[in-house]
Amino acid sequence: MPQTHAPRADGARSLGQASRDTAAELRAATAARLRGAHRAGIRRARLVACVLVLMLLALLVASILLGGVKKIPAGDVLPAAFGLRTGLADYVIFRIRLPRALAALLAGALFGLSGALYQRLIRNPLATPDMVGISAGAGAGATTVLLFAPAVPFGTSLAGIAGAFALVATVLALSRHGGSVDTYRLVLVGIGLSAVCTAYVNYLFTVAGQHGIAQVMRWLVGSVNDATWEGVSTLAGALAVCGLCTALLGRSLGSMSLGDQLALGLGTRVGAVRIATLLVGAAAAALATSVTGPIGFVSLISGPIAVRLVGADRSVALAVPIGAVIVLGADVLAQHGPVISPVPTGVLTALLGAPYFVWLILRRRQGATT
Amino acid sequence: MKQSASPAAPPTPTPARPRAPRTAVVVVLAGLMLAAVTIASIGLGARDISPLEIVRILLHPGAEGYNGDVLWTERIPRTLLGLTVGAALGASGLIMQALTMNPLAEPGVLGVQQGAAVFVVLGILFLDASSVQGYFWMALTGSAVTAVLVFLIGTRTNAGSSTIGLVLAGVAVAAVMSSLITLLVVRDEAVYAHLRFWSVGQLTGRGQFLGQVLPFALTGLVLALPLGRTLNLLSLGDETARGLGIRVERDRLASAAVAVLLCAAATAAVGPVAFVGLVAAHTARMLVGADHRWSLPLSMACGAVLLVGADTAGRLVIDHVEVQVSVMTAFVGTPFFVWLARRRDLVRM
């Protein structure tokens, strides 16, 4: 306090001049420091992104090379990847392992994206698609179509999106409170409505014939076991579209993190951006869920890890590769981990994610919430 | 508030007096409802048996024919099991709510049933448990461990209020538990088939467990009945209760033990059934108010009516398909849960 007022000792006449000078200096210094911090932040984000991409590549290679039931000699893998080998190697690599690895990677990316979007928008690490019930709604929709109208092209994906949107609309409508959405009420209502969807899927499980049971199972525990190229293309399209939308929303989200009033002052259309973000997040989670089933807790973990690594401003972009690393890593572990394998991927993410969730709710509030 | 005000207008007896006839009405109504669902559960089912025939079979036990078999080996034990389990869940829900002072507390919501399920799986896998008695001891251990875990986590959260903290802790623990279940059973087809049948809570085909579960459930219910007064005193808060000469820690522990016993017995018998305790406890309190001496037995009755009613409805809603009772209660209980979660006073306690 006394130091900042030091120029005032000069006297009344020069006071205005002096404080203007110091103000200008201060502004310049702050701007320089901010620029420096910005640059350092970008450098750090680049570094982290590079590390994540390397991890992803390593996991992809591991996922393709590590043997399942059929051992493919490592020497055959590379030729097969370029289409130089036919037969078993080609079949195993192209029909089974590669789509599986890509599906895990893309689904993880989508879960990470949607989780980070929701966490950034609602400003609470608990407000993720899992908690709000989007995954359960998507599962209920997708399972219904799978069992009763399996022939409709892209039927499961569309039904998944429809179920997710219906559920997120219901949850938001039910958790409104005097014009604003209360996070904890949101989570509680989400838990309740998820229970209904789970009960419905459980019910479908009992009416499904032998053929349908495997498919319903996938919606009880998420798994990438029978990923196909069709699923991979759905996921890739979803990631492209949702990623583009997120990039367009990015600046508005940034200004909204300053608070609604400031954001309005900066010319952001707060209401529209909020709805658009909710829709993009719901679509990302719903599409991923419609292909892989609910792979739990990925959307919850990715965002806070990203915030930890690079700060809140770039967390949404970075949550994408982090989610991909988590699901692909969990899938490699679920397939080949000692003692436990093979298990559905969703089991492992829940086992890793739920304790983290506990830590999240146990942590004392110290302003470090997203 | 002032000391002088209390002798002039004693606050407690005044509302209690007009409530007495109402309580009588409620008790009669509860009895009628219980009778109604019992009759419906015995009389209705996939196989049409005329009421006259049913009366005749009931009057001449051990008589003849397929209809007699259906009644004596399936519907009657199933109904009795439903009544017992429903009562146990209702009592357990009310006690948990009273102890945690949390309107959302319930064995299903707090993950206690999932904990019981994990231990049942462990029992099947490693201890060769195959009878319901075997299940029971595993379920009891699992319920107790999970209850302690959820309580420890739930009371230490940053979630704004312990109400929400407990629910979040319950969800997290339930997620871990169900992952553990999948992890344990995923490679063992036989155990898996068994567990699949068990882990969707249902009364179908569980009638034969009645005799094995009854001792535990009845013990729990008998132990629960006199808890009303204790719960009343505990709900005044620790300081006041201690001032009135209650040994708070001991009584709370004893009440919790009874709640866990009831939940374990119910879960061992029929598998996890969520929301029955929640709905029963709130219905009971709505009908007779906060006095646990009345609401506790009424919660048992409500739980029994709800479970048996849901089970009977599940047999009838779709032709040739039985919808499991846990699915039915989820459809009834969730709107209730959401309604509670929306209440203004809940989120900011």
Side-chain angles (χ1 to χ4, degrees):
Chain A
M1 279 272 268
Q3 276 130 345
T4 56
H5 292 301
R8 294 191 181 188
D10 293 350
R13 269 183 63 200
S14 61
L15 178 76
Q17 181 62 40
S19 71
R20 220 173 293 141
D21 282 357
T22 37
E25 272 167 32
L26 254 176
R27 210 177 301 137
T30 316
R33 202 176 305 148
L34 274 178
R35 259 200 307 278
H38 186 69
R39 254 185 240 126
I42 287 185
R43 229 175 293 136
R44 186 173 165 79
R46 277 203 196 119
L47 183 71
V48 172
C50 284
V51 171
L52 285 170
V53 168
L54 285 179
M55 282 172 77
L56 271 182
L57 285 176
L59 283 169
L60 259 181
V61 170
S63 175
I64 292 171
L65 281 185
L66 286 173
V69 182
K70 283 280 173 226
K71 293 261 182 266
I72 304 293
D76 283 4
V77 171
L78 214 56
F82 289 106
L84 297 176
R85 281 287 165 92
T86 49
L88 189 63
D90 173 63
Y91 181 80
V92 169
I93 300 295
F94 274 99
R95 297 277 149 209
I96 300 173
R97 290 193 198 160
L98 198 55
R100 175 177 188 143
L102 288 177
L105 189 153
L106 291 167
L110 282 167
F111 281 126
L113 175 67
S114 79
L117 275 179
Y118 271 59
Q119 286 164 337
R120 191 147 164 73
L121 183 73
I122 305 176
R123 278 181 238 137
N124 188 311
L126 295 179
T128 61
D130 292 332
M131 286 291 142
V132 178
I134 290 176
S135 312
T143 321
T144 311
V145 169
L146 255 184
L147 283 181
F148 297 117
V152 181
F154 292 104
T156 44
S157 302
L158 291 177
I161 294 184
F165 282 171
L167 205 77
V168 77
T170 317
V171 170
L172 284 173
L174 286 175
S175 49
R176 282 181 80 82
H177 181 248
S180 67
V181 168
D182 183 291
T183 310
Y184 285 117
R185 189 172 278 124
L186 190 79
V187 172
L188 287 181
V189 173
I191 290 170
L193 291 186
S194 301
V196 170
C197 292
T198 313
Y200 172 69
V201 173
N202 267 333
Y203 160 70
L204 287 183
F205 187 87
T206 62
V207 287
Q210 273 308 319
H211 166 71
I213 282 187
Q215 261 118 10
V216 182
M217 272 307 298
R218 193 141 44 108
W219 268 275
L220 298 174
V221 194
S223 132
V224 282
N225 251 341
D226 27 38
T228 58
W229 281 110
E230 193 192 304
V232 171
S233 56
T234 308
L235 290 173
L239 187 60
V241 173
C242 292
L244 193 67
C245 293
T246 309
L248 292 176
L249 287 169
R251 184 170 287 271
S252 310
L253 275 177
S255 62
M256 277 171 72
S257 66
L258 302 170
D260 286 3
Q261 294 303 321
L262 264 176
L264 274 173
L266 289 168
T268 305
R269 293 165 62 201
V270 172
V273 171
R274 184 171 290 139
I275 289 178
T277 311
L278 287 172
L279 288 182
V280 172
L287 282 162
T289 308
S290 75
V291 174
T292 63
I295 297 187
F297 292 98
V298 178
S299 53
L300 183 83
I301 320 176
S302 310
I305 292 181
V307 173
R308 246 307 124 108
L309 287 176
V310 296
D313 285 345
R314 299 175 191 83
S315 65
V316 175
L318 213 71
V320 175
I322 290 177
V325 166
I326 291 173
V327 176
L328 191 55
D331 188 47
V332 171
L333 203 61
Q335 280 186 90
H336 312 294
V339 187
I340 52 166
S341 67
V343 288
T345 316
V347 170
L348 281 192
T349 60
L351 273 183
L352 298 174
Y356 177 77
F357 175 71
V358 168
W359 180 77
L360 212 57
I361 58 175
L362 284 180
R363 195 177 49 164
R364 296 281 143 224
R365 253 189 245 245
Q366 281 163 349
T369 46
T370 313
Chain B
M1 281 239 176
K2 282 175 197 161
Q3 282 284 311
S4 59
S6 53
T12 31
T14 331
R17 214 165 287 141
R19 190 168 282 150
R22 193 179 157 194
T23 312
V25 171
V26 167
V27 168
V28 172
L29 263 181
L32 284 177
M33 288 291 288
L34 271 177
V37 290
T38 309
I39 292 169
S41 173
I42 293 177
L44 301 172
R47 182 178 177 82
D48 281 323
I49 309 177
S50 74
L52 270 178
E53 172 98 6
I54 286 173
V55 173
R56 203 170 53 77
I57 294 171
L58 288 179
L59 290 178
H60 308 290
E64 78 295 338
Y66 188 68
N67 282 347
D69 283 350
V70 168
L71 272 190
W72 285 114
T73 60
E74 178 60 29
R75 281 198 204 161
I76 291 174
R78 175 180 185 161
T79 306
L80 291 177
L81 185 71
L83 291 171
T84 318
V85 167
L89 288 174
S92 168
L94 190 82
I95 297 174
M96 284 191 184
Q97 293 190 357
L99 288 180
T100 57
M101 298 193 191
N102 180 345
L104 296 178
E106 206 252 355
V109 172
L110 294 190
V112 176
Q113 291 182 332
Q114 264 74 20
V118 169
F119 276 68
V120 168
V121 174
L122 287 174
I124 297 174
L125 277 177
F126 300 116
L127 301 177
D128 284 330
S130 53
S131 68
V132 172
Q133 244 128 14
Y135 289 4
F136 173 80
W137 294 114
M138 297 313 291
L140 185 67
T141 322
S143 305
V145 169
T146 321
V148 170
L149 195 65
V150 170
F151 187 74
L152 284 180
I153 297 174
T155 47
R156 281 162 179 70
T157 61
N158 58 9
S161 80
S162 66
T163 310
I164 296 157
L166 268 181
V167 176
L168 294 180
V171 169
V173 170
V176 173
M177 293 298 179
S178 41
S179 304
L180 279 177
I181 293 178
T182 318
L183 203 61
L184 285 170
V185 302
V186 79
R187 268 152 303 154
D188 195 328
E189 290 282 322
V191 175
Y192 184 74
H194 202 88
L195 187 88
R196 195 60 234 159
F197 174 71
W198 187 82
S199 66
V200 179
Q202 57 183 340
L203 288 168
T204 319
R206 302 276 164 81
Q208 76 247 26
F209 298 158
L210 180 64
Q212 292 165 297
V213 170
L214 216 49
F216 301 110
L218 287 184
T219 310
L221 290 173
V222 168
L223 286 176
L225 275 175
L227 284 181
R229 193 177 154 274
T230 315
L231 292 179
N232 279 348
L233 291 170
L234 284 177
S235 68
L236 297 173
D238 288 4
E239 292 302 309
T240 320
R242 221 171 265 132
L244 290 168
I246 300 289
R247 280 195 267 170
V248 174
E249 271 73 34
R250 193 202 60 176
D251 282 6
R252 183 171 291 142
L253 200 65
S255 312
V258 172
V260 167
L261 171 71
L262 286 165
C263 169
T267 310
V270 303
V273 179
F275 294 118
V276 171
L278 187 83
V279 178
H282 282 278
T283 314
R285 265 204 303 268
M286 251 181 258
L287 290 173
V288 294
D291 187 345
H292 292 97
R293 281 171 303 174
W294 288 102
S295 61
L296 189 58
L298 194 64
S299 181
M300 294 179 191
C302 290
V305 168
L306 180 62
L307 197 73
V308 176
D311 182 49
T312 314
R315 278 180 249 164
L316 303 173
V317 280
I318 303 175
D319 267 350
H320 306 299
V321 178
E322 286 205 4
V323 181
Q324 294 94 347
V325 70
S326 61
V327 176
M328 296 298 290
T329 55
F331 278 107
V332 179
T334 308
F336 203 81
F337 180 87
V338 169
W339 175 73
L340 282 172
R342 271 176 60 75
R343 279 187 1 187
R344 184 186 298 266
D345 50 340
L346 184 76
V347 173
R348 306 236 175 272
M349 278 183 100

